[in-house]
Amino acid sequence: MTSAQEPLLVSAVRRLPPGYFALVMATGIISLGLELEGFHASSNLLLAIATVAYAVLLVLTVWRAVGFPRDVVADFSGPRNGFSFFTFVAGTNVLGARLAAAGVPMVPYVLLVVSFLAWLVLGYVIPGLVVSKNQGDDILAGLNGTWFIWSVASQSVAVLAASLEPSAGEFGNGLSIMAVLSWGIGVILYAVIGCALIIRVLTRGIPVEQMGPPYWVTMGAGAITVLAGSRIVEMSDTAMVSVMRAPVAAAAVVFWAFATWLIPALIGIGIWRHLIHKVPLRYEAAMWSMVFPLGMYAVAGIYLGRADDLPIVGWIGGRFLWVALAVWAIILVSMLISLFRAASRRDNVGAVQPTA
């Protein structure tokens, strides 16, 4: 059966982008920000959307893995798409952190176990497949902003572990170790991937068509490092936290400054891409990878302002939350319009197909 003859839902599952869990990441983090700012009704609405999106994407992802394993393996081993699978880890942890803030029992712990295991497995499988199935030049040419989602996933484990630690009782010490461990790994991954990206820019350049929304993850990875660090600073005074509290707090401020510096640069890249080089601006699933960093920057600023007694940082985060919410709403409407148009085109094609 050709793709033109496939039912619409089957075709959509087969072509499902591996990074679509960024929708859950974006929705969940903005929901958390609204909750922190006291907008409980709006926060709960976005929490419901994130939960439904997570469940639907989980079903579709399992369906795709069972029904189209070759497509999934091709995505796993491709340097342009492979690291997008880490959005599942980050989406799971962001949803878990929001549910923990809502006081939902047990579910956040289950999500942490699932995400931690997925993070460990994917952290070896994806880089291994990418390196083994691609030559060095091909890997460098395929390196893009989605690689930073590996760092984001590591930091998301730290965020959820640190969020659960205060109420974990005897398991608190284990969660503190998990939080500091994954935070440290996330920092190293951010540095390594950043160096690799600089090498690509200096040696090969990046075509304007490829400078898309995923490059915003460079800022989002820095912002979630701030959030994870702020949550670690707030944890109980365990042996691991006592050793790391001061350097983690200092690093959080540095990463916040760097993430702030990146925002004008990323806006400038967008202007250069769409206004100067006339690359069409249309909906794509990767746009959720742009919304998430905006929401994460806002929430990271709010937490950093409280954890390190930096009210100006918290004020900036609170104002930036509304920017993130506005962009989220625009992308959501664009997604719904895109899905409607795709369904309409398929119906029109089917209407003119000759009968057997």
Side-chain angles (χ1 to χ4, degrees), residues 51-113:
T51 304
V52 171
Y54 183 82
V56 171
L57 287 170
L58 190 60
V59 171
L60 296 181
T61 300
V62 173
W63 181 357
R64 184 172 187 250
V66 173
F68 307 98
R70 292 184 179 179
D71 296 271
V72 174
V73 172
D75 283 339
F76 261 117
S77 58
R80 287 185 172 85
N81 293 322
F83 291 88
S84 296
F85 282 96
F86 281 106
T87 59
F88 167 72
V89 178
T92 300
N93 286 316
V94 169
L95 180 61
R98 177 61 187 89
L99 292 173
V104 176
M106 293 309 299
V107 176
Y109 290 94
V110 174
L111 294 177
L112 178 60
V113 171

Side-chain angles (χ1 to χ4, degrees), residues 160-209:
L160 183 51
S163 300
L164 295 175
E165 185 270 339
S167 59
E170 60 183 311
F171 299 104
N173 190 56
L175 289 176
S176 68
I177 295 173
M178 182 187 293
V180 174
L181 173 72
S182 55
W183 182 88
I185 293 173
V187 170
I188 298 299
L189 290 174
Y190 188 90
V192 171
I193 296 169
C195 290
L197 181 60
I198 291 173
I199 291 172
R200 183 196 171 178
V201 171
L202 295 179
T203 60
R204 303 179 64 98
I206 301 178
V208 63
E209 294 81 9

Side-chain angles (χ1 to χ4, degrees), residues 252-270:
V253 176
V254 171
F255 273 95
W256 180 84
F258 185 65
T260 303
W261 177 81
L262 281 173
I263 293 174
L266 291 166
I267 293 174
I269 289 172

